[in-house]
C-alpha cells in the first residue's frame, strides 16, 4: 500500500513541479477529446436514426419515384393512400401495412390553445411500429374514432402532467378527442417529428376522406409496411400492383420502393420528406476531422512530454546512477502520463456534459451523452488507450537515458529539431485544411441563403392560405392596402420546394419528359424578379378545375423540349400527357429558371399556369421598418376573413431557406467548432514548445540581451525556426484544401468559387497563431532579472 | 565634462528563498572616461550586481544611473538595448558564449545588433581575433576551446564594437594563472587605447593595477582609493 502511495505520490509531486506544462498537456488533451466525444455523439445520433424502435430494420417506408424515362427527377417519401390496403391484401410478401398523414389543427386543453402538428394514423399503426407506451394499451389505442395517443412531452405541454389517459383535447374547438395512451418521449434522431397520433377511424380524418376517394391517386400518405419473415418486395412487384390499380400508367409512370426505416435518413432529398436528411459524406468528414484532432492532441501531449525529456534527462540519469532500472523509470513516466490522461478525460467528459445543451439546437444530438454506460466507458477507454500510446515514446526515450549524462549539464536547444519541425508542418497543414474548409462551407451557406435567392428573403413573408379553409385570392387586395405591404403574389407552393406537383410533357419525338407544375398569379414573376426571356406572362387567373389553356415554361423546360431559342417556343402547343388523352396547352411565354430554395440540383423544367384553385401560398413583401406592426395587421385581416380558421401559418422566406439549408449550416458549425478546437490545441502545443525552448535557451537569450539585442530581435530569433515549417505547411495544405473545396462545391448545381481569400485567411491565420503565440510568450517570459541567467550557470 | 557613468543613491534588492536581499544600498559612484576601475570585496557583497546596474542589465529600485549624463534608470528597453549594443562590452567569468555559434559568429554577433554597423564587419572581426590571438580557432565551437581561448573570444566579442566601456565580471576567475595574466594584459591594453574598464575581481594583484579601487561590503561602498603611482 505504501509502495502504491509512493508510486502515485512521486509523480504527483513531479506534475505539480512542472504544473504549467502539466496544465497545458491536460487542457490540450481534454479539448481534443471533448471534440472527439461530441463528434462521436453526433455520429451515434446520425447512425442510430429510429433505432429506438424495436426491430426497426423490419419496418419499411414505401416511397414513390416519378420516373418517365431514365433516372427519376422527383421522389417522395409519401405514396398514394390506396397502396397500403392493396399491399396488405394482394402482396404475398407483405405482413402488414399502415399509414400516417400529416396535419396541423388548432387544439385546446384547459392549459393551452395551440396550432398543433399531428398525424392521422391507421388503427394498426402501433402494431407495425411498436413504440413504447408509458400508460394505456397501444394495441387498442387507435381503434375507436376520436382517440389520441401522445408523448410524455406533449402530455406535459397540454396538461402539465403525464398521467393523462382519459383526458380530452378539443380539436378545432368542436371535436373532443380522448387520450388513450401516452408514449415514452422520442429521441431527436427519429423520423417521427410529430408527437401526436389521432385515430383515422373518424369520418372527418384525412385518411377516411382519402379512402372515400380511391380516384385520388396523388402521393398523400406515409405508408409503412412489414415484410413476412424471409420475404422481399422488389420494386417491380410494387409497380405492377400500382399499375393494376391505375395509380401508375404509361403516361404517368410511377415506381415504388421500400426502404428500411433507419436507412431513410440517408436517402437523397425528396419531396415531402418524412424527416430531414443526413449526409454520409458529412459524417465521414466529421469522423476524419475528429480523428485528426485527436491525433493532433495526442501528438501535442506526446511532444510536450518529450520536450520535458531535455529538462528531466539529468534527473533520470541520476536515478539510473543510483540503481533505477529502465522499466522502473519507464513505469514512472507512464504513471505520470496516466494521471494526466485521466484528468483530461474527466475534464473532457464534464465539458461535453456542460456544453452539449449549447450545441444541441444545431447539432441535434438530443440524448444525454452518457445515457448508455457502454458508450461512456467505451469512449473513455478508447481515449485512454490512444493517449497512453502517445506517452510511450517519451517514456521510452526518458528511460533510455545513459547514467553518464548525470555529470553533464542539459544541452541547450537551438530551435526545433527535425521531428518537431515535421510535427509543426503536420499541425499547421491540418489547421489550414480546417480553416479553409470551414470558410468554404460558410461561404456556400451564405450564398445559398442570401445571394442565390436574388432578393431580400428577410422581407418576404410566406402565408399558408391553405389551412382548412379554401384559398381565397381576394385576400391579396386588403393586404396590399396596408401601408407596410409593398407587393403580394399567390402561388401553389412556390417559393417553397415542397408539395411538388409532377407533370409530363410529350415531346414531338414521342418521348415524355417530366416537369414541375406550378400555378401562379400574374404578379408572381415580377415579385420574384424572374426575367422574361420571350413572349408574355399571365394577365389574369381562372378558378375553374379545367386544364390550363395558356402556360409559361422556364428555360430548363425549353431545353428539355428541344427548343433552341426562347422565341422558338412562344406560340407553340405542347402536349401534356394524360391517361384520358393528351391535353394541349399553348406556350405564351418563356421565363428564366427560378432559383428559389434549392441550389443542390440543376433547375427543374417547370410549367406555370394561372389556375387559382390551387393557390396555397401568398408571398408578401414587407416595407422595411414596420414589420412587426404589419404582421399584426395581417393577422387581424386573416381572423376577420376566416374567423373559424386557426391562426395564420406564416414564416419569413429567410426562415424557410435557413431550415432548408440547416444541414449545411450544421456542417459549417461543426467544422467551425472543430477549427476553433484545432487552433486551441495548436496554441497549447506552441506555448508548451515555447516554454521549453525558452527554458533551455534562457542563457543564450540573456547573452544576446547583454550584447544589445532588443525585444524585437529576441522575438525574431524565436520565430525564425518556424518560418520554414509554416511555409511548407502552406504549400502542402493549400492545394489540398483547394481540391477538397472544389470537389465539395461541385456537388452543388449553383455554388461559389473557391476563394483565394479563404486560402489567404487560413494561411494568415496560421502565421498569426504561430507568431502571435510565440511572440507573446517570448515578450512576457523575460526573467525578472535579465542578468540572472548569466550567473552561476557553470 | 560629465563622467561616463554616474550612479546616484542606487538601491537594489531581490528575493532569494522567499527572503529580501538588499544587494546594493545607497551607492553613489562616478566612472570617468578612459578610467580603469576595479571593484573588490568579499563574495555576496554586491560587486556583480553593481556591474549589472552599470551595464543596464538590471534597473535600480531607486536612484539614478547616468550614462553620458543621461539618466537611463527608467529608459525604455529598446533604448537600453541600443546603449548596450553601441557603448558597453561585457566580459563574464563563465565566458557566456553561445554554444551553437562558432568563435567567429560569437564575435560577429555583437555587431549584428547594431543593425547599421559602422564597421566593415568581417575585417573588424578578423582584426579583433588577431588582437586577442584566437584567429586560428575562428571556426571552432566554444566547447572545442580551452577556458583561456573561450575568454579571449569573449573579450574579442566585447571590444569588437569599440564600446565606451568594458564591464568585466571576474574575467580571470575560471582560468589558470598563465591564462589569467594573458587575459588581464589584453584588458589593460584595451584600456590603454582609451576604453573605460571596470573590472570586478578577487585578485588583489589585479585590483591594485587599476587607477581606482572601489571596496565594497554588504552592498555598500566602504571606500574608494586611487592607485599610488
Amino acid at each position: 500500500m505504501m509502495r502504491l502511495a509512493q508510486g502515485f505520490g512521486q509523480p504527483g509531486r513531479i506534475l505539480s513541479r512542472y504544473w504549467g506544462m502539466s496544465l497545458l498537456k491536460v487542457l490540450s488533451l481534454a479539448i481534443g477529446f471533448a471534440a472527439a466525444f461530441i463528434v462521436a455523439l453526433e455520429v451515434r445520433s446520425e447512425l442510430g436514426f429510429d433505432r429506438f424502435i424495436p426491430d426497426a430494420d423490419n419496418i419499411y417506408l414505401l416511397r414513390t419515384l416519378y420516373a418517365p424515362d431514365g433516372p427519376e427527377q422527383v421522389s417522395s417519401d409519401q405514396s398514394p393512400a390506396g397502396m397500403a390496403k392493396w399491399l396488405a391484401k394482394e402482396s404475398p410478401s407483405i405482413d402488414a401495412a399502415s399509414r400516417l398523414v400529416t396535419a396541423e389543427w388548432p387544439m385546446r386543453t384547459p392549459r393551452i390553445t395551440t396550432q398543433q402538428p399531428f398525424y392521422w394514423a391507421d388503427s394498426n399503426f402501433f402494431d407495425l411500429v411498436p413504440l413504447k407506451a408509458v400508460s394505456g394499451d397501444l394495441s387498442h389505442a387507435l381503434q375507436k374514432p376520436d382517440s389520441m395517443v401522445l408523448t410524455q412531452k406533449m402530455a406535459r405541454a397540454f396538461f402539465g402532467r403525464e398521467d393523462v389517459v382519459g383526458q380530452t383535447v378539443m380539436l378545432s374547438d368542436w371535436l373532443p378527442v380522448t387520450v388513450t395512451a401516452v408514449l415514452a418521449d422520442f429521441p431527436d434522431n427519429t423520423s417521427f417529428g410529430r408527437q401526436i397520433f389521432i385515430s383515422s377511424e373518424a369520418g372527418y380524418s384525412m385518411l377516411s376522406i382519402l379512402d372515400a376517394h380511391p380516384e385520388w391517386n396523388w402521393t398523400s400518405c406515409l405508408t409503412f409496411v412489414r415484410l413476412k419473415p424471409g420475404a422481399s418486395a422488389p420494386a417491380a412487384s410494387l409497380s405492377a400492383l400500382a399499375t393494376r390499380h391505375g395509380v401508375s400508367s404509361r403516361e404517368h409512370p410511377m415506381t415504388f420502393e421500400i426502404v428500411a426505416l433507419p436507412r431513410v435518413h440517408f436517402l437523397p432529398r425528396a419531396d415531402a420528406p418524412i424527416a430531414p436528411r443526413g449526409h454520409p459524406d458529412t459524417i465521414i468528414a466529421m469522423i476524419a476531422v475528429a480523428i485528426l484532432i485527436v491525433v493532433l492532441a495526442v501528438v501535442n501531449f506526446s511532444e510536450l512530454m518529450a520536450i520535458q525529456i531535455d529538462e528531466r534527462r539529468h534527473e533520470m540519469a541520476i536515478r539510473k546512477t543510483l540503481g533505477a532500472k529502465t522499466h522502473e523509470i519507464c513505469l514512472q513516466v507512464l504513471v505520470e502520463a496516466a494521471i494526466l490522461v485521466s484528468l483530461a478525460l474527466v475534464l473532457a467528459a464534464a465539458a461535453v456534459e456542460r456544453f452539449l445543451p449549447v450545441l444541441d439546437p444545431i447539432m441535434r444530438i438530443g440524448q444525454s451523452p452518457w445515457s448508455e454506460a457502454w458508450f461512456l466507458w467505451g469512449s473513455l477507454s478508447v481515449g485512454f488507450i490512444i493517449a497512453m500510446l502517445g506517452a510511450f515514446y517519451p517514456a521510452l526515450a526518458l528511460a533510455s537515458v545513459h547514467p553518464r549524462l548525470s555529470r553533464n549539464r542539459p544541452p541547450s536547444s537551438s530551435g526545433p529539431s527535425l521531428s518537431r519541425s515535421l510535427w509543426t508542418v503536420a499541425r499547421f497543414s491540418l489547421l489550414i485544411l480546417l480553416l479553409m474548409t470551414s470558410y468554404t462551407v460558410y461561404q456556400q451557406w451564405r450564398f445559398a441563403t442570401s445571394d442565390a435567392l436574388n432578393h431580400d428573403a428577410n422581407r418576404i413573408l410566406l402565408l399558408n392560405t391553405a389551412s382548412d379553409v379554401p384559398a381565397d385570392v381576394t385576400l391579396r387586395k386588403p393586404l396590399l392596402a396596408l401601408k407596410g405591404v409593398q407587393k403580394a403574389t399567390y402561388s401553389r407552393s412556390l417559393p417553397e420546394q415542397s408539395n411538388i406537383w409532377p407533370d409530363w410533357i410529350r415531346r414531338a419525338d414521342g418521348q415524355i419528359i417530366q416537369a414541375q407544375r406550378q400555378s401562379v398569379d400574374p404578379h408572381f414573376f415580377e415579385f420574384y424578379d424572374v426575367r422574361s426571356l420571350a413572349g408574355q406572362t399571365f394577365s389574369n387567373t381562372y378558378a375553374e378545375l379545367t386544364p390550363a389553356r395558356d402556360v409559361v415554361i422556364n428555360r430548363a423546360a425549353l431545353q428539355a423540349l428541344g427548343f433552341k431559342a426562347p422565341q422558338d417556343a412562344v406560340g407553340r402547343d405542347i402536349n401534356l400527357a394524360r391517361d384520358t388523352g393528351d391535353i394541349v396547352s399553348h406556350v405564351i411565354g418563356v421565363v428564366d429558371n427560378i432559383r428559389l430554395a434549392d441550389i443542390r440540383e440543376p433547375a427543374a423544367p417547370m410549367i406555370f399556369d394561372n389556375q387559382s384553385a390551387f393557390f396555397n401560398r401568398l408571398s408578401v413583401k414587407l416595407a422595411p421598418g414596420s414589420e412587426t406592426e404589419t404582421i399584426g395587421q395581417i393577422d387581424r385581416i386573416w381572423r376577420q376573413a376566416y374567423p373559424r380558421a386557426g391562426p395564420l401559418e406564416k414564416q419569413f422566406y429567410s426562415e424557410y431557406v435557413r431550415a432548408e439549408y440547416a444541414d449545411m449550416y450544421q456542417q459549417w458549425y461543426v467544422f467551425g467548432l472543430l477549427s476553433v478546437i484545432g487552433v486551441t490545441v495548436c496554441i497549447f502545443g506552441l506555448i508548451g514548445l515555447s516554454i521549453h525552448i525558452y527554458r533551455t535557451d534562457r542563457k543564450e537569450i540573456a547573452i544576446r540581451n547583454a550584447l544589445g539585442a532588443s525585444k524585437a530581435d529576441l522575438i525574431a530569433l524565436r520565430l525564425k525556426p518556424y518560418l520554414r515549417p509554416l511555409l511548407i505547411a502552406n504549400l502542402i495544405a493549400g492545394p489540398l484544401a483547394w481540391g477538397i473545396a472544389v470537389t465539395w462545391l461541385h456537388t452543388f448545381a449553383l455554388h461559389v468559387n473557391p476563394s483565394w481569400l479563404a486560402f489567404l485567411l487560413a494561411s494568415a491565420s496560421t502565421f498569426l497563431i504561430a507568431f502571435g503565440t510565440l511572440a507573446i510568450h517570448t515578450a512576457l517570459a523575460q526573467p525578472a532579472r535579465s542578468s540572472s541567467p548569466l550567473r552561476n550557470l557553470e | 565634462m560629465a563622467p561616463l557613468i554616474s550612479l546616484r543613491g542606487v538601491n537594489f534588492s531581490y528575493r532569494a528563498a522567499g527572503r529580501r536581499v538588499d544587494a546594493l544600498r545607497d551607492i553613489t559612484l562616478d566612472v570617468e572616461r578612459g578610467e580603469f576601475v576595479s571593484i573588490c570585496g568579499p563574495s555576496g557583497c554586491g560587486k556583480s550586481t553593481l556591474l549589472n546596474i552599470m551595464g543596464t542589465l538590471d534597473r535600480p529600485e531607486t536612484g539614478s544611473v547616468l550614462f553620458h549624463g543621461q539618466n537611463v534608470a527608467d529608459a525604455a528597453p529598446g533604448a537600453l538595448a541600443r546603449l548596450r549594443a553601441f557603448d558597453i562590452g561585457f566580459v563574464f567569468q563563465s565566458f557566456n558564449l553561445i554554444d551553437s555559434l562558432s568563435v567567429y559568429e560569437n564575435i560577429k554577433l555583437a555587431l549584428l545588433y547594431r543593425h547599421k554597423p559602422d564597421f566593415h564587419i568581417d575585417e573588424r572581426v578578423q582584426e579583433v581575433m588577431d588582437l586577442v590571438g584566437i584567429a586560428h580557432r575562428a571556426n571552432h565551437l566554444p566547447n572545442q576551446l580551452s577556458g583561456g581561448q573561450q575568454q579571449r573570444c569573449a573579450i574579442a566579442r566585447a571590444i569588437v564594437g569599440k564600446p565606451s566601456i568594458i564591464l568585466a565580471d571576474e574575467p580571470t576567475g575560471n582560468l589558470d594563472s598563465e591564462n589569467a595574466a594573458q587575459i588581464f594584459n589584453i584588458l589593460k591594453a584595451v584600456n590603454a587605447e582609451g576604453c573605460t574598464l571596470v573590472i570586478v575581481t578577487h585578485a588583489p594583484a589585479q585590483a591594485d593595477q587599476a587607477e581606482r579601487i572601489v571596496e565594497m561590503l554588504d552592498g555598500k561602498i566602504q571606500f574608494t582609493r586611487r592607485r599610488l603611482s
Side-chain angles (χ1 to χ4, degrees), chain A residues 503-733:
Chain A
D503 206 340
W504 293 266
I505 311 172
R506 194 190 308 280
R507 295 192 341 176
D509 59 4
Q511 189 188 349
I512 292 175
I513 64 156
Q514 192 187 66
Q516 288 182 29
R517 161 77 71 168
Q518 289 291 346
S519 299
V520 298
D521 74 5
H523 316 283
F524 182 85
F525 298 114
E526 188 262 334
F527 186 101
Y528 280 106
D529 301 323
V530 182
R531 196 160 55 100
S532 174
L533 300 178
Q536 57 186 324
T537 56
F538 304 113
S539 57
N540 59 6
T541 61
Y542 73 97
E544 298 80 30
L545 289 171
T546 54
R549 170 78 189 116
D550 294 334
V551 295
V552 172
I553 61 173
N554 70 349
R555 187 195 290 271
L558 179 89
Q559 288 160 349
L561 287 167
F563 293 110
K564 284 184 179 158
Q567 292 80 359
D568 298 345
V570 176
R572 300 286 289 271
D573 289 338
I574 56 171
N575 295 318
L576 303 179
R578 296 289 184 271
D579 297 340
T580 50
D582 286 0
I583 295 169
V584 178
S585 285
H586 188 68
V587 177
I588 61 167
V590 180
V591 294
D592 209 348
N593 291 332
I594 174 167
R595 300 299 332 185
L596 295 167
D598 188 8
I599 59 168
R600 293 183 177 92
E601 306 295 334
M606 282 187 180
I607 316 166
F608 299 93
D609 65 34
N610 52 342
Q611 193 173 23
S612 65
F614 299 119
F615 288 169
N616 288 324
R617 290 287 176 277
L618 182 56
S619 304
V620 176
K621 186 172 276 184
L622 302 179
S626 58
E627 287 89 346
T628 310
E629 186 189 342
T630 306
I631 290 169
Q633 291 169 335
I634 292 171
D635 279 333
R636 276 197 292 281
I637 290 173
W638 172 260
R639 280 197 299 273
Q640 285 164 9
Y642 305 106
R644 287 195 60 190
L648 176 60
E649 281 179 50
K650 56 188 174 299
Q651 65 177 339
F652 277 101
Y653 186 24
S654 53
E655 292 171 327
Y656 169 75
V657 171
R658 276 198 287 272
E660 277 290 293
Y661 293 113
D663 56 337
M664 209 193 299
Y665 182 73
Q666 188 190 17
Q667 288 167 26
W668 169 61
Y669 189 86
V670 170
F671 283 114
L673 187 71
L674 293 177
S675 298
V676 170
I677 286 170
V679 167
T680 312
V681 170
C682 229
I683 286 175
F684 284 165
L686 283 170
I687 291 174
L689 203 55
S690 184
I691 289 172
H692 165 70
I693 292 173
Y694 188 81
R695 277 181 186 161
T696 52
D697 287 3
R698 60 200 293 264
K699 178 188 165 191
E700 180 178 332
I701 289 168
I703 293 169
R704 288 176 185 268
N705 184 47
L707 293 176
S710 64
K711 208 166 249 189
D713 291 323
L714 297 177
I715 289 172
L717 179 76
R718 282 282 146 272
L719 302 186
K720 205 174 161 188
Y722 293 94
L723 199 59
R724 191 185 292 174
L726 266 172
L727 285 172
I728 294 171
N730 275 276
L731 288 174
I732 293 171

Side-chain angles (χ1 to χ4, degrees), chain A residues 409 412 414 699-700 702-711 713-714 717 784-787 789-791 793-794, chain B residues 12 14 48-49 52 57-58 81-82 84-85 90 92 94 96-101 109-110 113 115 157 174:
Chain A
R409 282 187 298 124
S412 70
S414 55
K699 178 188 165 191
E700 180 178 332
I703 293 169
R704 288 176 185 268
N705 184 47
L707 293 176
S710 64
K711 208 166 249 189
D713 291 323
L714 297 177
L717 179 76
R785 293 182 65 190
S786 54
S787 63
L790 299 173
R791 307 175 69 183
L793 282 168
E794 289 303 302
Chain B
F12 186 83
Y14 57 87
S48 295
T49 305
N52 289 336
L57 290 177
D58 291 328
R82 190 174 164 77
R84 289 195 294 272
F90 287 96
F92 300 97
S94 53
N96 282 336
L97 299 173
I98 294 176
D99 298 341
S100 54
L101 302 182
L109 192 64
Y113 288 124
H115 297 296
R157 186 180 64 186
N174 282 353

Side-chain angles (χ1 to χ4, degrees), chain A residues 278-294:
Chain A
H279 299 276
D281 293 349
T282 306
I283 291 177
I284 292 167
M286 278 199 296
I287 292 172
V289 173
I291 288 172
L292 286 174
I293 288 206
V294 168

Side-chain angles (χ1 to χ4, degrees), chain A residues 485-506:
Chain A
V485 173
Q486 292 179 329
K487 295 176 183 176
T489 183
Y490 272 106
S491 61
R492 181 174 182 271
S493 64
L494 289 171
E496 294 171 43
Q497 294 288 288
S498 55
N499 199 14
I500 289 169
W501 185 5
D503 206 340
W504 293 266
I505 311 172
R506 194 190 308 280

Side-chain angles (χ1 to χ4, degrees), chain B residues 118-145:
Chain B
D118 35 9
F119 303 104
H120 193 285
I121 290 179
D122 291 337
E123 284 176 13
R124 176 61 187 160
V125 172
Q126 189 60 49
E127 190 183 328
V128 294
M129 284 196 302
D130 290 338
L131 185 71
V132 301
I134 195 76
H136 62 295
R137 295 286 198 171
N139 294 320
H140 287 68
L141 292 172
N143 62 10
Q144 296 168 325
L145 305 179

